[in-house]
Protein backbone atom coordinates (compact mmCIF):
# COMPACT_ATOMS: atom_id res chain seq x y z
CA UNK A 1 0.00 0.00 0.00
CA UNK A 2 1.47 3.36 -0.95
CA UNK A 3 1.09 6.70 0.83
CA UNK A 4 -1.41 7.86 -1.77
CA UNK A 5 -4.03 5.11 -1.91
CA UNK A 6 -5.35 5.17 1.64
CA UNK A 7 -7.63 7.82 3.07
CA UNK A 8 -6.42 9.78 6.06
CA UNK A 9 -7.65 8.50 9.44
CA UNK A 10 -5.98 10.83 11.94
CA UNK A 11 -6.71 14.48 12.74
CA UNK A 12 -4.66 17.05 14.66
CA UNK A 13 -6.43 20.33 15.57
CA UNK A 14 -4.67 23.31 17.14
CA UNK A 15 -6.32 25.67 19.62
CA UNK A 16 -3.69 28.39 20.10
CA UNK A 17 -5.04 30.15 23.21
CA UNK A 18 -3.54 30.04 26.72
CA UNK A 19 -4.23 31.82 29.99
CA UNK A 20 -0.54 32.76 30.04
CA UNK A 21 2.72 31.77 28.34
CA UNK A 22 4.87 29.24 30.21
CA UNK A 23 8.53 30.19 30.45
CA UNK A 24 9.75 27.19 28.41
CA UNK A 25 7.04 27.16 25.73
CA UNK A 26 7.80 27.87 22.06
CA UNK A 27 4.52 26.44 20.74
CA UNK A 28 2.27 28.59 18.58
CA UNK A 29 0.17 30.00 21.42
CA UNK A 30 -1.27 33.36 22.42
CA UNK A 31 -2.56 34.73 25.71
CA UNK A 32 -6.36 34.45 25.64
CA UNK A 33 -7.26 37.97 26.77
CA UNK A 34 -8.97 39.95 23.96
CA UNK A 35 -8.52 37.19 21.37
CA UNK A 36 -11.28 36.68 18.73
CA UNK A 37 -12.04 33.12 19.89
CA UNK A 38 -15.35 32.59 18.07
CA UNK A 39 -13.91 34.06 14.86
CA UNK A 40 -11.08 31.55 15.18
CA UNK A 41 -13.46 28.62 15.71
CA UNK A 42 -15.46 29.68 12.65
CA UNK A 43 -12.26 29.92 10.59
CA UNK A 44 -11.31 26.45 11.82
CA UNK A 45 -14.73 25.18 10.76
CA UNK A 46 -14.07 26.64 7.30
CA UNK A 47 -10.63 25.00 7.10
CA UNK A 48 -12.14 21.63 8.02
CA UNK A 49 -14.73 22.04 5.27
CA UNK A 50 -12.11 22.89 2.63
CA UNK A 51 -9.77 20.14 3.83
CA UNK A 52 -12.27 17.30 3.54
CA UNK A 53 -13.38 18.59 0.14
CA UNK A 54 -9.78 18.41 -1.11
CA UNK A 55 -8.92 15.10 0.64
CA UNK A 56 -11.99 13.15 1.81
CA UNK A 57 -11.27 11.32 5.08
CA UNK A 58 -11.51 7.63 5.86
CA UNK A 59 -12.99 6.32 9.09
CA UNK A 60 -11.28 8.45 11.72
CA UNK A 61 -9.31 6.42 14.26
CA UNK A 62 -7.73 9.29 16.22
CA UNK A 63 -8.34 12.97 16.85
CA UNK A 64 -5.93 15.02 18.95
CA UNK A 65 -6.71 18.58 20.04
CA UNK A 66 -3.57 20.38 21.19
CA UNK A 67 -2.44 23.91 21.84
CA UNK A 68 -2.07 26.25 23.54
CA UNK A 69 -4.60 25.04 26.08
CA UNK A 70 -7.77 23.81 24.35
CA UNK A 71 -9.59 23.75 27.70
CA UNK A 72 -9.52 27.56 27.96
CA UNK A 73 -12.54 27.48 25.62
CA UNK A 74 -15.79 28.33 27.44
CA UNK A 75 -18.41 25.55 27.51
CA UNK A 76 -20.45 27.12 24.68
CA UNK A 77 -17.31 27.61 22.56
CA UNK A 78 -16.24 24.03 23.28
CA UNK A 79 -19.68 22.78 22.23
CA UNK A 80 -19.53 24.72 18.94
CA UNK A 81 -16.03 23.41 18.26
CA UNK A 82 -16.86 19.75 18.94
CA UNK A 83 -20.02 19.91 16.83
CA UNK A 84 -17.89 21.33 14.03
CA UNK A 85 -15.44 18.41 14.28
CA UNK A 86 -18.24 15.85 14.22
CA UNK A 87 -19.91 17.50 11.22
CA UNK A 88 -16.80 17.47 9.01
CA UNK A 89 -15.41 14.12 10.24
CA UNK A 90 -18.61 12.11 10.79
CA UNK A 91 -17.25 8.59 10.26
CA UNK A 92 -15.42 7.38 13.38
CA UNK A 93 -13.93 3.93 13.89
CA UNK A 94 -15.41 1.93 16.77
CA UNK A 95 -12.32 2.30 18.93
CA UNK A 96 -11.64 5.97 18.16
CA UNK A 97 -9.23 7.76 20.46
CA UNK A 98 -10.33 11.41 20.80
CA UNK A 99 -7.77 13.22 22.97
CA UNK A 100 -7.64 16.75 24.23
CA UNK A 101 -4.83 18.50 26.06
CA UNK A 102 -5.88 20.23 29.28
CA UNK A 103 -4.37 22.48 31.89
CA UNK A 104 -5.41 21.44 35.42
CA UNK A 105 -6.35 25.07 36.17
CA UNK A 106 -8.92 25.25 33.35
CA UNK A 107 -11.16 22.20 33.75
CA UNK A 108 -14.40 22.52 35.70
CA UNK A 109 -17.07 19.84 35.67
CA UNK A 110 -19.37 21.67 33.23
CA UNK A 111 -16.66 22.03 30.58
CA UNK A 112 -15.46 18.43 31.02
CA UNK A 113 -19.06 17.22 30.63
CA UNK A 114 -19.41 19.17 27.37
CA UNK A 115 -16.15 17.59 26.16
CA UNK A 116 -17.30 14.08 27.06
CA UNK A 117 -20.70 14.57 25.41
CA UNK A 118 -18.95 15.95 22.31
CA UNK A 119 -17.00 12.73 21.84
CA UNK A 120 -13.71 13.42 23.66
CA UNK A 121 -12.73 10.19 25.45
CA UNK A 122 -9.10 10.83 26.50
CA UNK A 123 -7.54 13.78 28.33
CA UNK A 124 -3.88 14.64 28.62
CA UNK A 125 -3.21 16.93 31.59
CA UNK A 126 -0.11 19.13 31.58
CA UNK A 127 0.95 18.63 35.20
CA UNK A 128 4.78 18.93 34.78
CA UNK A 129 5.66 18.60 38.51
CA UNK A 130 4.13 18.06 41.96
CA UNK A 131 6.02 20.86 43.73
CA UNK A 132 4.18 24.19 43.74
CA UNK A 133 7.44 26.18 43.94
CA UNK A 134 8.69 24.41 40.81
CA UNK A 135 5.39 25.01 38.98
CA UNK A 136 5.54 28.73 39.74
CA UNK A 137 9.17 28.93 38.64
CA UNK A 138 8.35 27.53 35.16
CA UNK A 139 5.32 29.79 34.66
CA UNK A 140 2.49 27.29 35.22
CA UNK A 141 -0.80 28.75 36.52
CA UNK A 142 -1.99 25.64 38.38
CA UNK A 143 -0.96 24.08 41.68
CA UNK A 144 -1.09 20.47 42.86
CA UNK A 145 -4.58 20.95 44.37
CA UNK A 146 -5.81 21.84 40.88
CA UNK A 147 -4.37 18.56 39.58
CA UNK A 148 -6.34 16.42 42.03
CA UNK A 149 -9.50 18.50 41.54
CA UNK A 150 -9.26 18.27 37.74
CA UNK A 151 -8.75 14.51 37.75
CA UNK A 152 -11.69 14.10 40.11
CA UNK A 153 -13.89 16.29 37.88
CA UNK A 154 -12.80 14.34 34.81
CA UNK A 155 -13.77 11.03 36.43
CA UNK A 156 -17.14 12.49 37.43
CA UNK A 157 -17.67 13.62 33.83
CA UNK A 158 -17.11 10.04 32.64
CA UNK A 159 -13.42 9.98 31.67
CA UNK A 160 -11.31 6.96 32.55
CA UNK A 161 -8.62 7.22 29.86
CA UNK A 162 -6.32 9.95 31.17
CA UNK A 163 -2.66 10.82 30.88
CA UNK A 164 -0.44 13.32 32.61
CA UNK A 165 2.73 15.03 31.41
CA UNK A 166 5.70 15.44 33.74
CA UNK A 167 8.99 17.21 33.02
CA UNK A 168 12.55 16.64 34.19
CA UNK A 169 15.75 18.64 33.83
CA UNK A 170 13.92 21.76 35.08
CA UNK A 171 15.77 24.69 36.70
CA UNK A 172 16.48 23.93 40.39
CA UNK A 173 14.87 20.46 40.08
CA UNK A 174 16.66 17.74 42.02
CA UNK A 175 16.59 13.96 41.64
CA UNK A 176 14.57 13.76 44.88
CA UNK A 177 11.99 16.22 43.54
CA UNK A 178 11.55 14.17 40.39
CA UNK A 179 11.26 10.97 42.47
CA UNK A 180 8.51 12.62 44.53
CA UNK A 181 6.66 13.76 41.38
CA UNK A 182 6.85 10.26 39.87
CA UNK A 183 5.61 8.72 43.14
CA UNK A 184 2.65 11.11 43.33
CA UNK A 185 1.88 10.56 39.64
CA UNK A 186 1.91 6.78 40.07
CA UNK A 187 -0.39 7.00 43.11
CA UNK A 188 -3.05 8.27 40.68
CA UNK A 189 -2.94 4.91 38.84
CA UNK A 190 -3.58 6.46 35.43
CA UNK A 191 -3.21 4.34 32.26
CA UNK A 192 -0.63 6.62 30.61
CA UNK A 193 2.23 8.99 31.46
CA UNK A 194 4.40 11.21 29.25
CA UNK A 195 7.65 12.41 30.80
CA UNK A 196 9.75 14.91 28.85
CA UNK A 197 13.12 16.50 29.43
CA UNK A 198 13.25 20.29 29.27
CA UNK A 199 14.58 21.69 26.01
CA UNK A 200 15.53 25.35 26.11
CA UNK A 201 13.99 26.68 22.91
CA UNK A 202 14.59 30.01 21.22
CA UNK A 203 12.02 32.79 21.69
CA UNK A 204 11.21 31.70 25.25
CA UNK A 205 11.88 33.41 28.58
CA UNK A 206 14.08 30.46 29.56
CA UNK A 207 16.24 30.99 26.47
CA UNK A 208 16.80 34.64 27.42
CA UNK A 209 17.70 33.58 30.98
CA UNK A 210 19.99 30.82 29.66
CA UNK A 211 21.89 33.29 27.50
CA UNK A 212 22.36 35.52 30.55
CA UNK A 213 23.58 32.55 32.59
CA UNK A 214 20.56 32.89 34.89
CA UNK A 215 19.02 29.43 34.36
CA UNK A 216 20.19 26.94 37.03
CA UNK A 217 19.75 23.70 35.07
CA UNK A 218 20.75 20.24 36.36
CA UNK A 219 24.03 19.05 34.84
CA UNK A 220 24.16 16.28 32.24
CA UNK A 221 24.87 13.54 34.76
CA UNK A 222 21.95 14.59 36.98
CA UNK A 223 19.65 14.70 33.97
CA UNK A 224 20.75 11.22 32.88
CA UNK A 225 20.13 9.94 36.43
CA UNK A 226 16.66 11.51 36.35
CA UNK A 227 15.85 9.65 33.13
CA UNK A 228 17.20 6.36 34.53
CA UNK A 229 15.17 6.84 37.70
CA UNK A 230 11.90 7.46 35.93
CA UNK A 231 12.40 4.50 33.56
CA UNK A 232 13.09 2.26 36.54
CA UNK A 233 10.09 3.53 38.56
CA UNK A 234 7.65 3.27 35.66
CA UNK A 235 8.78 -0.27 34.82
CA UNK A 236 8.50 -1.38 38.46
CA UNK A 237 4.94 0.00 38.54
CA UNK A 238 3.92 -2.10 35.50
CA UNK A 239 4.08 0.53 32.76
CA UNK A 240 5.65 -0.30 29.43
CA UNK A 241 7.98 2.30 27.99
CA UNK A 242 6.70 2.15 24.43
CA UNK A 243 8.42 5.33 23.23
CA UNK A 244 11.36 7.38 24.47
CA UNK A 245 9.15 9.69 26.58
CA UNK A 246 5.95 7.66 26.96
CA UNK A 247 4.78 4.94 29.32
CA UNK A 248 1.48 3.06 29.28
CA UNK A 249 -0.50 0.18 30.66
CA UNK A 250 -1.03 -2.45 27.92
CA UNK A 251 -3.53 -1.20 25.33
CA UNK A 252 -3.35 2.45 26.44
CA UNK A 253 -0.51 3.62 24.18
CA UNK A 254 -1.40 6.92 22.48
CA UNK A 255 -2.82 5.87 19.14
CA UNK A 256 -2.59 9.37 17.73
CA UNK A 257 1.11 9.72 18.51
CA UNK A 258 1.73 6.30 16.99
CA UNK A 259 0.44 7.82 13.73
CA UNK A 260 3.36 10.27 13.81
CA UNK A 261 5.92 7.67 14.81
CA UNK A 262 4.80 5.29 12.07
CA UNK A 263 5.05 8.17 9.59
CA UNK A 264 1.38 7.80 8.61
CA UNK A 265 -0.86 10.52 7.16
CA UNK A 266 -2.72 13.00 9.36
CA UNK A 267 -4.67 16.21 8.81
CA UNK A 268 -3.20 19.28 10.53
CA UNK A 269 -5.81 21.98 11.20
CA UNK A 270 -5.61 25.37 12.88
CA UNK A 271 -3.12 28.23 13.22
CA UNK A 272 0.47 27.03 12.81
CA UNK A 273 -0.59 23.37 12.51
CA UNK A 274 1.47 20.89 10.47
CA UNK A 275 -0.18 18.18 8.37
CA UNK A 276 1.00 15.27 6.24
CA UNK A 277 -1.33 13.86 3.56
CA UNK A 278 -0.36 11.88 0.45
CA UNK A 279 3.36 12.50 0.98
CA UNK A 280 2.76 16.25 1.08
CA UNK A 281 3.52 18.26 4.20
CA UNK A 282 2.03 21.62 4.98
CA UNK A 283 2.40 24.31 7.61
CA UNK A 284 -0.46 26.70 8.33
CA UNK A 285 -0.27 30.47 8.87
CA UNK A 286 0.58 31.09 12.54
CA UNK A 287 -1.03 34.33 13.78
CA UNK A 288 -4.66 34.18 14.90
CA UNK A 289 -6.00 37.10 12.81
CA UNK A 290 -3.92 36.26 9.70
CA UNK A 291 -5.11 32.64 10.00
CA UNK A 292 -8.75 33.74 10.36
CA UNK A 293 -8.52 35.95 7.27
CA UNK A 294 -6.74 33.30 5.18
CA UNK A 295 -9.16 30.48 6.13
CA UNK A 296 -12.08 32.54 4.88
CA UNK A 297 -10.44 32.81 1.45
CA UNK A 298 -9.08 29.27 1.04
CA UNK A 299 -6.77 26.78 2.76
CA UNK A 300 -4.71 28.89 5.23
CA UNK A 301 -1.31 27.59 4.13
CA UNK A 302 2.00 29.20 4.98
CA UNK A 303 3.76 26.58 2.86
CA UNK A 304 3.17 23.15 1.32
CA UNK A 305 5.86 20.88 -0.04
CA UNK A 306 6.17 17.44 -1.54
CA UNK A 307 8.19 14.94 0.50
CA UNK A 308 10.59 13.04 -1.71
CA UNK A 309 10.78 9.26 -1.47
CA UNK A 310 14.29 9.59 0.05
CA UNK A 311 13.11 12.02 2.70
CA UNK A 312 10.11 9.81 3.52
CA UNK A 313 12.53 6.89 4.02
CA UNK A 314 14.70 8.95 6.37
CA UNK A 315 11.61 10.04 8.31
CA UNK A 316 10.45 6.42 8.58
CA UNK A 317 13.69 5.50 10.40
CA UNK A 318 14.12 8.69 12.35
CA UNK A 319 10.64 8.84 13.91
CA UNK A 320 10.07 5.08 13.89
CA UNK A 321 13.09 4.39 16.09
CA UNK A 322 11.56 6.56 18.84
CA UNK A 323 9.18 3.65 19.45
CA UNK A 324 10.90 1.06 21.59
CA UNK A 325 9.56 -1.88 19.55
CA UNK A 326 11.57 -0.36 16.71
CA UNK A 327 11.13 -0.15 12.95
CA UNK A 328 9.71 -2.94 10.83
CA UNK A 329 11.58 -4.24 7.80
CA UNK A 330 8.34 -5.56 6.25
CA UNK A 331 6.49 -2.24 6.75
CA UNK A 332 9.41 -0.39 5.15
CA UNK A 333 9.33 -2.69 2.11
CA UNK A 334 5.54 -2.39 1.93
CA UNK A 335 5.78 1.41 1.87
CA UNK A 336 8.82 1.85 -0.37
CA UNK A 337 9.21 -1.39 -2.35
CA UNK A 338 12.85 -1.82 -1.34
CA UNK A 339 14.70 -3.36 1.60
CA UNK A 340 15.73 -1.19 4.54
CA UNK A 341 19.26 -2.63 4.54
CA UNK A 342 19.72 -1.82 0.86
CA UNK A 343 19.02 1.84 1.57
CA UNK A 344 20.55 2.34 5.04
CA UNK A 345 23.31 -0.28 5.31
CA UNK A 346 25.86 2.36 6.41
CA UNK A 347 24.09 3.99 9.36
CA UNK A 348 22.41 0.75 10.47
CA UNK A 349 25.70 -1.16 10.62
CA UNK A 350 27.40 1.77 12.35
CA UNK A 351 24.70 2.04 15.05
CA UNK A 352 24.53 -1.74 15.62
CA UNK A 353 28.34 -1.77 15.84
CA UNK A 354 28.25 1.06 18.40
CA UNK A 355 25.77 -0.92 20.50
CA UNK A 356 23.06 1.72 20.08
CA UNK A 357 20.73 -0.38 17.89
CA UNK A 358 19.73 -4.03 18.24
CA UNK A 359 18.61 -6.15 15.30
CA UNK A 360 15.13 -7.66 15.81
CA UNK A 361 13.26 -10.39 13.97
CA UNK A 362 11.67 -7.81 11.66
CA UNK A 363 14.00 -4.81 11.81
CA UNK A 364 15.86 -2.71 14.37
CA UNK A 365 15.22 -1.08 17.73
CA UNK A 366 17.12 1.10 20.17
CA UNK A 367 19.29 -0.89 22.57
CA UNK A 368 19.13 -0.08 26.30
CA UNK A 369 22.15 2.17 25.72
CA UNK A 370 20.57 3.61 22.56
CA UNK A 371 17.50 4.74 24.53
CA UNK A 372 19.79 7.06 26.51
CA UNK A 373 21.42 8.47 23.38
CA UNK A 374 18.43 8.43 21.02
CA UNK A 375 19.23 11.79 19.42
CA UNK A 376 22.63 10.51 18.29
CA UNK A 377 20.92 7.55 16.63
CA UNK A 378 18.22 9.62 14.92
CA UNK A 379 20.84 12.07 13.72
CA UNK A 380 22.52 9.31 11.71
CA UNK A 381 19.49 9.10 9.42
CA UNK A 382 18.80 12.83 8.96
CA UNK A 383 20.05 13.80 5.53
CA UNK A 384 21.79 10.46 4.96
CA UNK A 385 20.02 10.15 1.59
CA UNK A 386 19.08 13.77 0.88
CA UNK A 387 22.29 15.59 1.85
CA UNK A 388 23.54 15.56 -1.72
Amino acid sequence: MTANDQRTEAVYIHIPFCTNKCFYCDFNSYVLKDQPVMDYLRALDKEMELTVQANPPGRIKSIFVGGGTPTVLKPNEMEYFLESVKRHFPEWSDGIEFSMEANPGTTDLEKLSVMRQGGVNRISFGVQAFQNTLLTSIGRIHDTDDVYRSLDNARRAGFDNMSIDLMFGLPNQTLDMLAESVDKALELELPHYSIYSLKVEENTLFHTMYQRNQLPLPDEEDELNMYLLLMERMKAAGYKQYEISNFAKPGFESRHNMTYWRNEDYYGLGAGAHGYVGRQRHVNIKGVNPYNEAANKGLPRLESFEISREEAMEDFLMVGLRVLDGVSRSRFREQFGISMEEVFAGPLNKMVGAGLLDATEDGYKLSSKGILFGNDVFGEFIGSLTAN
Side-chain angles (χ1 to χ4, degrees):
M1 185 167 56
T2 67
N4 294 315
D5 60 12
Q6 185 183 6
R7 291 192 167 189
T8 306
E9 297 172 339
V11 186
Y12 173 80
I13 308 172
H14 194 73
I15 304 290
F17 308 117
C18 276
T19 42
N20 69 312
K21 193 85 169 166
C22 297
F23 302 159
Y24 54 83
C25 175
D26 74 331
F27 292 152
N28 187 45
S29 60
Y30 305 90
V31 175
L32 181 67
K33 192 172 163 25
D34 300 328
Q35 291 287 351
V37 176
M38 271 316 293
D39 287 351
Y40 179 78
L41 295 177
R42 282 190 278 268
L44 198 49
D45 181 78
K46 189 72 183 162
E47 189 193 358
M48 289 185 219
E49 181 189 328
L50 295 170
T51 296
V52 300
Q53 279 173 9
N55 292 98
R59 281 173 74 79
I60 300 299
K61 65 179 182 185
S62 75
I63 301 172
F64 193 101
V65 185
T69 307
T71 49
V72 298
L73 296 181
K74 296 174 187 155
N76 64 313
E77 294 165 344
M78 183 69 78
E79 193 171 1
Y80 173 91
F81 166 64
L82 293 172
E83 282 173 358
S84 189
V85 173
K86 186 70 180 168
R87 189 167 64 256
H88 297 298
F89 300 99
E91 293 292 317
W92 293 2
S93 71
D94 291 342
I96 187 171
E97 176 191 271
F98 191 159
S99 302
M100 190 175 287
E101 288 181 340
N103 186 313
T106 60
T107 41
D108 58 33
L109 185 57
E110 183 190 1
K111 190 180 300 177
L112 287 160
S113 300
V114 168
M115 285 161 56
R116 190 70 196 89
Q117 284 158 18
V120 180
N121 59 15
R122 181 178 183 272
I123 305 182
S124 177
F125 285 104
V127 172
Q128 316 317 1
F130 278 88
Q131 295 81 22
N132 289 338
T133 51
L134 207 50
L135 290 170
T136 304
S137 73
I138 62 175
R140 301 296 287 176
I141 59 153
H142 71 271
D143 61 24
T144 49
D145 287 346
D146 291 323
V147 174
Y148 294 113
R149 195 180 306 114
S150 292
L151 288 165
D152 186 46
N153 282 339
R155 287 195 179 99
R156 285 166 64 198
F159 288 95
D160 51 20
N161 190 357
M162 291 183 277
S163 174
I164 62 175
D165 289 356
L166 294 177
M167 293 179 77
F168 68 98
L170 295 170
N172 295 312
Q173 187 181 31
T174 63
L175 194 60
D176 285 347
M177 289 164 94
L178 178 68
E180 182 188 32
S181 285
V182 171
D183 286 346
K184 286 188 183 306
L186 287 170
E187 281 168 14
L188 300 167
E189 296 184 338
L190 300 178
H192 189 282
Y193 296 93
S194 298
I195 311 181
Y196 302 103
S197 66
L198 173 71
K199 289 190 173 45
V200 178
E201 305 282 7
E202 286 187 25
N203 305 315
T204 63
L205 178 61
F206 273 1
H207 190 256
T208 306
M209 291 169 70
Y210 182 74
Q211 287 184 309
R212 292 178 185 159
N213 212 19
Q214 294 171 344
L215 200 64
L217 296 172
D219 63 30
E220 262 183 51
E221 190 181 345
D222 281 347
E223 194 168 331
L224 181 61
N225 286 331
M226 287 179 175
Y227 189 45
L228 289 167
L229 170 125
L230 67 90
M231 286 197 293
E232 191 183 299
R233 291 283 172 94
M234 300 307 286
K235 185 178 181 179
Y239 290 85
K240 180 184 176 187
Q241 184 177 11
Y242 70 98
E243 191 268 348
I244 283 199
S245 305
N246 287 275
F247 304 80
K249 291 282 189 191
F252 286 93
E253 299 83 0
S254 164
R255 253 172 282 163
H256 187 80
N257 285 340
M258 288 302 289
T259 299
Y260 302 149
W261 299 323
R262 287 186 180 134
N263 213 31
E264 293 171 354
D265 286 11
Y266 62 95
Y267 298 108
L269 301 151
H274 295 234
Y276 181 48
V277 176
R279 213 172 274 169
Q280 182 150 35
R281 289 200 191 281
H282 78 257
V283 184
N284 274 350
I285 288 166
K286 283 189 166 186
V288 175
N289 287 321
Y291 168 84
N292 291 354
E293 286 165 26
N296 288 315
K297 294 175 188 157
L299 286 169
R301 301 290 187 250
L302 182 63
E303 55 178 332
S304 296
F305 41 94
E306 200 75 33
I307 296 296
S308 69
R309 184 162 173 269
E310 289 74 21
E311 200 176 335
M313 288 179 187
E314 290 175 1
D315 289 346
F316 184 100
L317 269 289
M318 202 175 65
V319 294
L321 284 169
R322 291 189 62 90
V323 180
L324 267 60
D325 286 345
V327 288
S328 155
R329 189 180 285 120
S330 51
R331 282 190 69 249
F332 187 90
R333 182 177 281 283
E334 192 181 299
Q335 226 175 86
F336 302 108
I338 191 170
S339 94
M340 198 189 285
E341 285 81 0
E342 211 175 317
V343 182
F344 290 111
L348 287 170
N349 291 337
K350 181 180 173 185
M351 292 293 98
V352 170
L356 298 175
L357 282 184
D358 289 337
T360 65
E361 212 172 291
D362 186 37
Y364 298 86
K365 66 175 188 175
L366 291 173
S367 66
S368 50
K369 181 182 167 189
I371 294 168
L372 305 178
F373 301 101
N375 288 337
D376 296 337
V377 179
F378 312 143
E380 284 294 316
F381 297 95
I382 300 173
S384 61
L385 303 179
T386 54
N388 305 324

